[in-house]
Amino acid sequence: MSRDFDSLGSDMATPYDIVHLTEVGSTQDEAAQRFANTGSPVLVVADRQVEGRGRQGRSWQQPDRAMFSSLAVNTSWNPEHRTLVPLITGIVVSEAIALTARVVASLKWP
């Protein structure tokens, strides 16, 4: 099942599509495929991921309660700085959850 939330990304400096899936093999694969097909930046969010991959080919174990997401976008950023994006994003999302839901969210590096 897929729901597109096109209007949510329209106010951003770089508009992007948001796709929510109940289950996906890999959010990274899904985002890359959608980006390749449309050329439009896309954020894929899934409730369940069944074929996720960890860093350096490590296996991925899905926690019971987690959020899975991948963003595909073309950027002119320095490649050295691109690796900071997932780390910074995780920190910002966990802080936003803590502030809005008053729940402590933790991060697991893949």
Side-chain angles (χ1 to χ4, degrees):
M1 178 176 125
S2 170
R3 292 183 289 168
D4 290 321
F5 298 98
D6 295 328
S7 64
L8 293 176
S10 63
D11 294 333
M12 301 294 291
T14 302
Y16 58 96
D17 296 328
I18 301 173
V19 178
H20 173 251
L21 303 167
T22 53
E23 183 173 300
V24 68
S26 161
T27 59
Q28 189 172 15
D29 292 345
E30 185 73 23
Q33 185 63 48
R34 287 175 183 261
F35 182 75
N37 289 343
T38 66
S40 180
V42 61
L43 173 66
V44 173
V45 180
D47 299 331
R48 179 171 160 74
Q49 179 174 249
V50 295
E51 296 174 15
R53 298 179 298 279
R55 293 183 305 138
Q56 301 172 343
R58 294 183 179 123
S59 64
W60 176 262
Q61 305 258 328
Q62 177 176 305
D64 291 337
R65 298 173 61 187
M67 181 186 86
F68 307 93
S69 63
S70 292
L71 176 66
V73 62
N74 193 10
T75 178
S76 60
W77 297 341
N78 181 329
E80 294 172 359
H81 298 149
R82 292 179 196 167
T83 59
L84 296 174
V85 173
L87 177 61
I88 293 167
T89 301
I91 292 168
V92 169
V93 168
S94 67
E95 289 179 357
I97 290 170
L99 287 172
T100 59
R102 305 214 185 280
V103 175
V104 177
S106 59
L107 299 174
K108 183 205 175 291
W109 193 251

